[in-house]
Amino acid sequence: AQTVTQSQPEMSVQEAETVTLSCTYDTSESDYYLFWYKQPPSRQMILVIRQEAYKQQNATENRFSVNFQKAAKSFSLKISDSQLGDAAMYFCAYNNAGNMLTFGGGTRLMVKP
Amino acid sequence: GAGVSQSPRYKVAKRGQDVALRCDPISGHVSLFWYQQALGQGPEFLTYFQNEAQLDKSGLPSDRFFAERPEGSVSTLKIQRTQQEDSAVYLCASSSGGVQETQYFGPGTRLLVL
């Protein structure tokens, strides 16, 4: 069974600074997808970024980028120029042909003004 | 277009009561998923539909949990004889159905069983 681990229960960043959230996963599959979701206090889960395992190039969406290390099974999220609205729970998730998402335990990100 | 909607947003039930949670997926989305999220944890998979067919129900924690999607659109998650351990947020997600398509989530239903 696949597992996803987020080792940082909480992270804090100063507004306008950069923060990196860590995620590792365990799988025997070679083709899969990885996601970062954001869940603000309102609880609506919002997709931040996705990465296809077959792509070597790291995905980027505006201020959000990933560092995907397939051999190390690592998938970290970098948030640049942090904003107050970035404060939320962030979940790393894995998906392969089973279609279901397997989530990590989440990292609570706090942004200090 | 409209996103995934869920109702009710909050539900308080007495232990032993039956509850029904509704999910309206994004129009045209073939795949629909239910997840359970305990307080302070990541969501956990419950069940998955493709159109009206329930293809995977391996995550349902007991036979008190039942889900249906009779016309391939709206889905209902029913919990019979609720227990305190059923207290959680129930999230619904839908996707366009292609393999590895992104799942879009609803706001969730927070269930509290007293």
Side-chain angles (χ1 to χ4, degrees), chain A residues 57-74:
Chain A
Q57 186 173 6
N58 289 325
T60 299
E61 288 288 342
N62 300 315
R63 297 183 295 108
F64 299 88
S65 61
V66 299
N67 183 5
F68 173 48
Q69 302 288 330
K70 191 172 183 179
K73 297 180 182 175
S74 170

Side-chain angles (χ1 to χ4, degrees), chain A residues 49-100:
Chain A
I49 199 166
R50 63 177 268 164
Q51 174 80 41
E52 293 84 354
Y54 63 85
K55 290 187 178 178
Q56 293 187 339
Q57 186 173 6
N58 289 325
T60 299
E61 288 288 342
N62 300 315
R63 297 183 295 108
F64 299 88
S65 61
V66 299
N67 183 5
F68 173 48
Q69 302 288 330
K70 191 172 183 179
K73 297 180 182 175
S74 170
F75 181 61
S76 61
L77 174 69
K78 185 172 82 171
I79 306 174
S80 304
D81 185 26
S82 296
Q83 301 176 0
L84 295 178
D86 294 335
M89 286 291 292
Y90 285 81
F91 291 97
C92 177
Y94 167 100
N95 176 300
N96 72 347
N99 281 296
M100 55 178 273

Side-chain angles (χ1 to χ4, degrees), chain A residues 33 35 37 39 42-45 47 50 91 95-97 99-101 103-105, chain B residues 9 33 35 37 40-43 45 48 89 91 100-103 105-107 110:
Chain A
Y33 290 70
F35 304 82
Y37 280 90
Q39 190 176 43
S42 68
R43 304 202 77 89
Q44 182 108 31
M45 196 84 73
L47 177 68
R50 63 177 268 164
F91 291 97
N95 176 300
N96 72 347
N99 281 296
M100 55 178 273
L101 287 167
F103 286 88
Chain B
R9 292 292 310 276
F33 304 81
Y35 295 86
Q37 186 176 23
Q41 298 183 22
F45 170 78
Y48 157 56
V89 175
L91 297 172
Q100 321 304 359
E101 285 296 322
T102 295
Q103 295 181 24
F105 283 81
R110 183 187 295 272

Side-chain angles (χ1 to χ4, degrees), chain B residues 7-82:
Chain B
S7 61
R9 292 292 310 276
Y10 303 92
K11 176 70 178 177
V12 179
K14 291 183 179 179
R15 188 161 56 93
Q17 282 185 333
D18 297 348
V19 299
L21 312 180
R22 176 187 170 105
C23 172
D24 282 86
I26 292 172
S27 178
H29 274 193
V30 170
S31 298
L32 186 146
F33 304 81
W34 284 99
Y35 295 86
Q36 180 189 60
Q37 186 176 23
L39 187 64
Q41 298 183 22
E44 293 190 352
F45 170 78
L46 293 176
T47 187
Y48 157 56
F49 291 86
Q50 189 168 73
N51 295 307
E52 68 277 6
Q54 190 174 21
L55 298 187
D56 188 345
K57 54 181 181 179
S58 62
L60 296 176
S62 78
D63 58 7
R64 296 186 295 104
F65 286 71
F66 171 77
E68 60 183 5
R69 194 185 184 198
E71 297 180 357
S73 178
V74 171
S75 177
T76 303
L77 176 67
K78 297 179 179 178
I79 309 173
Q80 298 176 326
R81 305 181 303 280
T82 53

